[in-house]
Amino acid sequence: DAGVTQSPTHLIKTRGQQVTLRCSPKSGHDTVSWYQQALGQGPQFIFQYYEEEERQRGNFPDRFSGHQFPNYSSELNVNALLLGDSALYLCASSGLGLGEETQYFGPGTRLLVL
Amino acid sequence: QKEVEQDPGPLSVPEGAIVSLNCTYSNSAFQYFMWYRQYSRKGPELLMYTYSSGNKEDGRFTAQVDKSSKYISLFIRDSQPSDSATYLCAMSESDGQNFVFGPGTRLSVLP
């Protein structure tokens, strides 16, 4: 049973560029949440997608956007990158439609903005 | 005041010790409480998931929730060097709502 997968594992970008991160949820899960984890901090909630719609959003600017596909996989897009966007980006999946609320995390994508 | 507070450590204990990890929170609406373990450069791994107040035990791990004090704990018995990691508490107001994480406590179990 495949767990949550994310790609790429590492990424280096420069300020002002745009980046797309990808996530495939755990088999059977239909909900994807994205978190940003700065070094030495706990994960901060960005947004959650369910049924291809953004269901909830944390306190992040509109530069952060996302998408969920019919197969439940998801993308996180960040525009106009800032140095402060350097972090580990985590995807977590759950099964809202199945009544399974527990979130399982992927290994993350480590983004470095220079 | 941050919504969820956690002593960042590092906490160093000898192998076999009982470890106590704690979080305090300010939002009385939190009902669901989780503990995650995160190894260096990895994603968080779910250890315990509890609803409302009370205790839950799973192997060497025991989670306690005291909603009246807004305080949750994770106890690790017979700690092992492989338990060395960062432990994150997380909580949410209701099923399916986003999780609010503490900053994590770094634990080091010395052989």
Side-chain angles (χ1 to χ4, degrees):
Chain A
D1 181 20
V4 180
T5 59
Q6 292 186 245
S7 63
T9 55
H10 295 81
L11 206 50
I12 300 175
K13 292 286 188 178
T14 56
R15 280 177 297 175
Q17 285 190 311
Q18 178 263 343
V19 68
T20 298
L21 311 181
R22 295 175 177 83
C23 171
S24 290
K26 187 173 184 283
S27 178
H29 281 180
D30 57 10
T31 305
V32 172
S33 302
W34 286 93
Y35 292 81
Q36 180 194 67
Q37 187 176 25
L39 199 61
Q41 300 296 316
Q44 298 288 315
F45 175 72
I46 302 174
F47 42 55
Q48 183 184 74
Y49 277 85
Y50 172 64
E51 294 188 334
E52 302 180 50
E53 300 271 340
E54 184 182 288
R55 183 171 176 268
Q56 302 175 63
R57 189 178 184 93
N59 189 25
F60 278 80
D62 292 345
R63 298 187 298 110
F64 290 77
S65 64
H67 187 77
Q68 185 179 34
F69 299 94
N71 67 353
Y72 308 122
S73 67
S74 177
E75 288 182 349
L76 164 66
N77 300 292
V78 187
N79 294 323
L81 284 167
L82 304 174
L83 295 180
D85 295 332
S86 295
L88 179 68
Y89 287 85
L90 294 162
C91 166
S93 76
S94 54
L96 279 184
L98 309 168
E100 184 178 342
E101 318 299 345
T102 308
Q103 295 191 3
Y104 295 86
F105 283 83
T109 294
R110 192 164 295 278
L111 172 65
L112 178 61
V113 182
L114 301 176
Chain B
Q1 181 190 10
K2 289 189 175 179
E3 205 166 10
V4 179
E5 307 251 16
Q6 195 175 357
D7 187 334
L11 175 64
S12 293
V13 300
E15 183 175 355
I18 296 174
V19 176
S20 172
L21 304 166
N22 311 294
C23 285
T24 58
Y25 61 95
S26 57
N27 184 353
S28 58
F30 286 142
Q31 297 189 78
Y32 296 85
F33 304 91
M34 283 69 62
W35 285 96
Y36 285 85
R37 176 175 63 194
Q38 187 173 26
Y39 292 112
S40 181
R41 312 188 81 79
K42 301 288 186 183
E45 170 195 7
L46 180 67
L47 288 176
M48 301 288 280
Y49 182 92
T50 55
Y51 169 72
S52 195
S53 287
N55 295 358
K56 183 174 182 179
E57 187 174 322
D58 184 1
R60 296 185 296 113
F61 299 93
T62 299
Q64 287 185 351
V65 175
D66 182 350
K67 289 188 66 181
S68 62
S69 301
K70 299 191 184 71
Y71 187 88
I72 70 170
S73 301
L74 178 71
F75 297 95
I76 307 175
R77 290 183 299 280
D78 187 26
S79 57
Q80 302 295 309
S82 58
D83 294 327
S84 298
T86 295
Y87 288 79
L88 298 157
C89 64
M91 43 202 80
S92 67
E93 293 184 12
S94 61
D95 271 355
Q97 291 295 313
N98 61 287
F99 292 3
V100 179
F101 280 83
T105 297
R106 280 174 46 210
L107 171 67
S108 182
V109 181
L110 307 174

